[in-house]
PDB file of all heavy atoms in Angstrom:
ATOM      1  N   ASP A  83      15.394 -24.201  24.966  1.00  0.00           N
ATOM      2  CA  ASP A  83      14.982 -22.818  24.735  1.00  0.00           C
ATOM      3  C   ASP A  83      14.148 -22.398  25.932  1.00  0.00           C
ATOM      4  O   ASP A  83      13.342 -23.167  26.445  1.00  0.00           O
ATOM      5  CB  ASP A  83      14.168 -22.734  23.438  1.00  0.00           C
ATOM      6  CG  ASP A  83      14.063 -21.304  22.912  1.00  0.00           C
ATOM      7  OD1 ASP A  83      14.563 -20.371  23.561  1.00  0.00           O
ATOM      8  OD2 ASP A  83      13.462 -21.130  21.847  1.00  0.00           O
ATOM      9  N   PHE A 242      -7.601 -12.892   9.981  1.00  0.00           N
ATOM     10  CA  PHE A 242      -6.511 -12.460  10.813  1.00  0.00           C
ATOM     11  C   PHE A 242      -7.111 -12.069  12.166  1.00  0.00           C
ATOM     12  O   PHE A 242      -7.328 -10.901  12.441  1.00  0.00           O
ATOM     13  CB  PHE A 242      -5.830 -11.272  10.130  1.00  0.00           C
ATOM     14  CG  PHE A 242      -4.637 -10.783  10.855  1.00  0.00           C
ATOM     15  CD1 PHE A 242      -3.504 -11.573  10.924  1.00  0.00           C
ATOM     16  CD2 PHE A 242      -4.628  -9.549  11.457  1.00  0.00           C
ATOM     17  CE1 PHE A 242      -2.387 -11.123  11.600  1.00  0.00           C
ATOM     18  CE2 PHE A 242      -3.510  -9.099  12.131  1.00  0.00           C
ATOM     19  CZ  PHE A 242      -2.397  -9.887  12.210  1.00  0.00           C
ATOM     20  N   TYR A 256     -14.026  -8.203   2.631  1.00  0.00           N
ATOM     21  CA  TYR A 256     -14.312  -7.508   1.379  1.00  0.00           C
ATOM     22  C   TYR A 256     -15.096  -6.234   1.651  1.00  0.00           C
ATOM     23  O   TYR A 256     -14.775  -5.157   1.145  1.00  0.00           O
ATOM     24  CB  TYR A 256     -15.098  -8.423   0.446  1.00  0.00           C
ATOM     25  CG  TYR A 256     -15.437  -7.730  -0.850  1.00  0.00           C
ATOM     26  CD1 TYR A 256     -14.495  -7.654  -1.872  1.00  0.00           C
ATOM     27  CD2 TYR A 256     -16.672  -7.126  -1.044  1.00  0.00           C
ATOM     28  CE1 TYR A 256     -14.778  -6.994  -3.060  1.00  0.00           C
ATOM     29  CE2 TYR A 256     -16.967  -6.463  -2.216  1.00  0.00           C
ATOM     30  CZ  TYR A 256     -16.015  -6.400  -3.226  1.00  0.00           C
ATOM     31  OH  TYR A 256     -16.295  -5.746  -4.390  1.00  0.00           O
ATOM     32  N   LYS A 261      -6.721  -4.201   2.873  1.00  0.00           N
ATOM     33  CA  LYS A 261      -5.696  -4.385   1.851  1.00  0.00           C
ATOM     34  C   LYS A 261      -4.886  -5.652   2.106  1.00  0.00           C
ATOM     35  O   LYS A 261      -3.976  -5.992   1.331  1.00  0.00           O
ATOM     36  CB  LYS A 261      -4.762  -3.176   1.809  1.00  0.00           C
ATOM     37  CG  LYS A 261      -5.466  -1.845   1.537  1.00  0.00           C
ATOM     38  CD  LYS A 261      -6.259  -1.844   0.232  1.00  0.00           C
ATOM     39  CE  LYS A 261      -6.875  -0.477  -0.066  1.00  0.00           C
ATOM     40  NZ  LYS A 261      -7.807  -0.535  -1.202  1.00  0.00           N
ATOM     41  N   GLN A 282      -0.109 -17.329  12.576  1.00  0.00           N
ATOM     42  CA  GLN A 282      -0.911 -16.488  11.686  1.00  0.00           C
ATOM     43  C   GLN A 282      -0.086 -16.136  10.465  1.00  0.00           C
ATOM     44  O   GLN A 282       1.138 -16.103  10.520  1.00  0.00           O
ATOM     45  CB  GLN A 282      -1.306 -15.174  12.391  1.00  0.00           C
ATOM     46  CG  GLN A 282      -2.102 -15.363  13.660  1.00  0.00           C
ATOM     47  CD  GLN A 282      -2.627 -14.050  14.227  1.00  0.00           C
ATOM     48  OE1 GLN A 282      -1.865 -13.227  14.709  1.00  0.00           O
ATOM     49  NE2 GLN A 282      -3.938 -13.857  14.196  1.00  0.00           N
ATOM     50  N   ARG A 286      -1.512 -10.023   0.703  1.00  0.00           N
ATOM     51  CA  ARG A 286      -2.018  -8.760   0.220  1.00  0.00           C
ATOM     52  C   ARG A 286      -3.196  -8.971  -0.748  1.00  0.00           C
ATOM     53  O   ARG A 286      -3.183  -9.909  -1.539  1.00  0.00           O
ATOM     54  CB  ARG A 286      -0.896  -8.030  -0.532  1.00  0.00           C
ATOM     55  CG  ARG A 286      -0.672  -6.658  -0.045  1.00  0.00           C
ATOM     56  CD  ARG A 286       0.627  -6.064  -0.490  1.00  0.00           C
ATOM     57  NE  ARG A 286       1.256  -5.414   0.645  1.00  0.00           N
ATOM     58  CZ  ARG A 286       0.815  -4.266   1.177  1.00  0.00           C
ATOM     59  NH1 ARG A 286      -0.231  -3.622   0.675  1.00  0.00           N
ATOM     60  NH2 ARG A 286       1.418  -3.747   2.223  1.00  0.00           N
ATOM     61  N   ARG A 290      -8.936  -5.161  -6.925  1.00  0.00           N
ATOM     62  CA  ARG A 290      -9.228  -6.100  -8.017  1.00  0.00           C
ATOM     63  C   ARG A 290      -9.822  -7.407  -7.493  1.00  0.00           C
ATOM     64  O   ARG A 290     -10.424  -8.168  -8.251  1.00  0.00           O
ATOM     65  CB  ARG A 290      -7.940  -6.452  -8.770  1.00  0.00           C
ATOM     66  CG  ARG A 290      -7.266  -5.284  -9.441  1.00  0.00           C
ATOM     67  CD  ARG A 290      -7.388  -5.400 -10.949  1.00  0.00           C
ATOM     68  NE  ARG A 290      -6.659  -4.357 -11.626  1.00  0.00           N
ATOM     69  CZ  ARG A 290      -7.214  -3.485 -12.456  1.00  0.00           C
ATOM     70  NH1 ARG A 290      -8.504  -3.532 -12.725  1.00  0.00           N
ATOM     71  NH2 ARG A 290      -6.484  -2.569 -13.047  1.00  0.00           N
ATOM     72  N   ARG A 326      -2.452 -17.465  25.955  1.00  0.00           N
ATOM     73  CA  ARG A 326      -1.324 -17.143  25.094  1.00  0.00           C
ATOM     74  C   ARG A 326      -0.504 -18.395  24.834  1.00  0.00           C
ATOM     75  O   ARG A 326      -0.659 -19.393  25.500  1.00  0.00           O
ATOM     76  CB  ARG A 326      -0.411 -16.128  25.789  1.00  0.00           C
ATOM     77  CG  ARG A 326      -1.081 -14.858  26.201  1.00  0.00           C
ATOM     78  CD  ARG A 326      -0.208 -14.034  27.135  1.00  0.00           C
ATOM     79  NE  ARG A 326       1.042 -13.649  26.501  1.00  0.00           N
ATOM     80  CZ  ARG A 326       1.155 -12.709  25.580  1.00  0.00           C
ATOM     81  NH1 ARG A 326       0.087 -12.033  25.212  1.00  0.00           N
ATOM     82  NH2 ARG A 326       2.318 -12.412  25.040  1.00  0.00           N
ATOM     83  N   THR A 327       0.392 -18.300  23.836  1.00  0.00           N
ATOM     84  CA  THR A 327       1.314 -19.414  23.597  1.00  0.00           C
ATOM     85  C   THR A 327       2.746 -18.906  23.551  1.00  0.00           C
ATOM     86  O   THR A 327       2.997 -17.769  23.166  1.00  0.00           O
ATOM     87  CB  THR A 327       1.057 -20.097  22.238  1.00  0.00           C
ATOM     88  OG1 THR A 327       1.236 -19.139  21.187  1.00  0.00           O
ATOM     89  CG2 THR A 327      -0.340 -20.688  22.158  1.00  0.00           C
TER      90      THR A 327
ATOM     91  N   ASP B  38      -5.564   3.625 -15.938  1.00  0.00           N
ATOM     92  CA  ASP B  38      -5.889   2.387 -15.241  1.00  0.00           C
ATOM     93  C   ASP B  38      -7.379   2.438 -14.931  1.00  0.00           C
ATOM     94  O   ASP B  38      -7.909   3.481 -14.561  1.00  0.00           O
ATOM     95  CB  ASP B  38      -5.058   2.289 -13.948  1.00  0.00           C
ATOM     96  CG  ASP B  38      -5.023   0.880 -13.385  1.00  0.00           C
ATOM     97  OD1 ASP B  38      -5.671  -0.014 -13.945  1.00  0.00           O
ATOM     98  OD2 ASP B  38      -4.341   0.683 -12.370  1.00  0.00           O
ATOM     99  N   TYR B 211      -0.981  -7.352  22.491  1.00  0.00           N
ATOM    100  CA  TYR B 211      -0.167  -8.160  23.396  1.00  0.00           C
ATOM    101  C   TYR B 211      -1.063  -9.102  24.199  1.00  0.00           C
ATOM    102  O   TYR B 211      -0.790 -10.294  24.315  1.00  0.00           O
ATOM    103  CB  TYR B 211       0.631  -7.251  24.338  1.00  0.00           C
ATOM    104  CG  TYR B 211       1.464  -8.046  25.304  1.00  0.00           C
ATOM    105  CD1 TYR B 211       2.693  -8.565  24.923  1.00  0.00           C
ATOM    106  CD2 TYR B 211       1.007  -8.310  26.598  1.00  0.00           C
ATOM    107  CE1 TYR B 211       3.453  -9.318  25.800  1.00  0.00           C
ATOM    108  CE2 TYR B 211       1.753  -9.064  27.479  1.00  0.00           C
ATOM    109  CZ  TYR B 211       2.978  -9.562  27.083  1.00  0.00           C
ATOM    110  OH  TYR B 211       3.726 -10.328  27.935  1.00  0.00           O
ATOM    111  N   LYS B 216       0.372 -13.113  16.599  1.00  0.00           N
ATOM    112  CA  LYS B 216       1.723 -13.382  16.093  1.00  0.00           C
ATOM    113  C   LYS B 216       2.143 -12.354  15.040  1.00  0.00           C
ATOM    114  O   LYS B 216       3.250 -12.425  14.508  1.00  0.00           O
ATOM    115  CB  LYS B 216       1.781 -14.789  15.505  1.00  0.00           C
ATOM    116  CG  LYS B 216       1.390 -15.899  16.477  1.00  0.00           C
ATOM    117  CD  LYS B 216       2.268 -15.924  17.728  1.00  0.00           C
ATOM    118  CE  LYS B 216       1.934 -17.113  18.644  1.00  0.00           C
ATOM    119  NZ  LYS B 216       2.629 -16.994  19.953  1.00  0.00           N
ATOM    120  N   GLN B 237      -2.185  -0.799   4.282  1.00  0.00           N
ATOM    121  CA  GLN B 237      -1.920  -1.529   5.520  1.00  0.00           C
ATOM    122  C   GLN B 237      -0.622  -2.298   5.367  1.00  0.00           C
ATOM    123  O   GLN B 237      -0.239  -2.670   4.264  1.00  0.00           O
ATOM    124  CB  GLN B 237      -3.052  -2.531   5.814  1.00  0.00           C
ATOM    125  CG  GLN B 237      -4.422  -1.901   5.950  1.00  0.00           C
ATOM    126  CD  GLN B 237      -5.483  -2.894   6.407  1.00  0.00           C
ATOM    127  OE1 GLN B 237      -5.843  -3.799   5.664  1.00  0.00           O
ATOM    128  NE2 GLN B 237      -5.989  -2.718   7.609  1.00  0.00           N
ATOM    129  N   ARG B 241       5.859  -9.416  11.886  1.00  0.00           N
ATOM    130  CA  ARG B 241       5.758 -10.560  12.770  1.00  0.00           C
ATOM    131  C   ARG B 241       6.240 -10.209  14.176  1.00  0.00           C
ATOM    132  O   ARG B 241       7.213  -9.480  14.338  1.00  0.00           O
ATOM    133  CB  ARG B 241       6.631 -11.695  12.224  1.00  0.00           C
ATOM    134  CG  ARG B 241       5.864 -12.953  11.997  1.00  0.00           C
ATOM    135  CD  ARG B 241       6.596 -13.972  11.177  1.00  0.00           C
ATOM    136  NE  ARG B 241       5.658 -14.564  10.247  1.00  0.00           N
ATOM    137  CZ  ARG B 241       4.711 -15.427  10.612  1.00  0.00           C
ATOM    138  NH1 ARG B 241       4.582 -15.834  11.866  1.00  0.00           N
ATOM    139  NH2 ARG B 241       3.872 -15.912   9.710  1.00  0.00           N
ATOM    140  N   ARG B 245       8.548 -13.338  22.593  1.00  0.00           N
ATOM    141  CA  ARG B 245       9.674 -12.559  23.130  1.00  0.00           C
ATOM    142  C   ARG B 245       9.343 -11.071  23.198  1.00  0.00           C
ATOM    143  O   ARG B 245      10.001 -10.315  23.910  1.00  0.00           O
ATOM    144  CB  ARG B 245      10.906 -12.725  22.240  1.00  0.00           C
ATOM    145  CG  ARG B 245      11.428 -14.124  22.133  1.00  0.00           C
ATOM    146  CD  ARG B 245      12.745 -14.259  22.886  1.00  0.00           C
ATOM    147  NE  ARG B 245      13.327 -15.571  22.698  1.00  0.00           N
ATOM    148  CZ  ARG B 245      13.605 -16.392  23.703  1.00  0.00           C
ATOM    149  NH1 ARG B 245      13.383 -16.058  24.963  1.00  0.00           N
ATOM    150  NH2 ARG B 245      14.138 -17.572  23.457  1.00  0.00           N
ATOM    151  N   ARG B 281     -14.867   2.380   0.684  1.00  0.00           N
ATOM    152  CA  ARG B 281     -13.774   1.607   0.107  1.00  0.00           C
ATOM    153  C   ARG B 281     -12.885   2.522  -0.718  1.00  0.00           C
ATOM    154  O   ARG B 281     -13.267   3.636  -1.049  1.00  0.00           O
ATOM    155  CB  ARG B 281     -14.329   0.522  -0.832  1.00  0.00           C
ATOM    156  CG  ARG B 281     -15.322  -0.402  -0.195  1.00  0.00           C
ATOM    157  CD  ARG B 281     -16.031  -1.259  -1.231  1.00  0.00           C
ATOM    158  NE  ARG B 281     -15.115  -2.078  -1.979  1.00  0.00           N
ATOM    159  CZ  ARG B 281     -14.524  -3.167  -1.508  1.00  0.00           C
ATOM    160  NH1 ARG B 281     -14.772  -3.559  -0.281  1.00  0.00           N
ATOM    161  NH2 ARG B 281     -13.701  -3.866  -2.256  1.00  0.00           N
ATOM    162  N   THR B 282     -11.720   2.009  -1.110  1.00  0.00           N
ATOM    163  CA  THR B 282     -10.859   2.760  -2.015  1.00  0.00           C
ATOM    164  C   THR B 282     -10.425   1.869  -3.168  1.00  0.00           C
ATOM    165  O   THR B 282     -10.307   0.657  -3.028  1.00  0.00           O
ATOM    166  CB  THR B 282      -9.564   3.243  -1.327  1.00  0.00           C
ATOM    167  OG1 THR B 282      -8.829   2.093  -0.885  1.00  0.00           O
ATOM    168  CG2 THR B 282      -9.841   4.155  -0.164  1.00  0.00           C
TER     169      THR B 282
END
Side-chain angles (χ1 to χ4, degrees):
Chain A
D83 197 357
F242 183 68
Y256 179 82
K261 302 303 184 189
Q282 301 188 291
R286 233 164 225 288
R290 298 250 185 239
R326 303 168 61 75
T327 60
Chain B
D38 197 357
Y211 179 81
K216 303 301 185 190
Q237 301 187 291
R241 236 167 222 287
R245 298 251 185 238
R281 304 169 60 75
T282 61

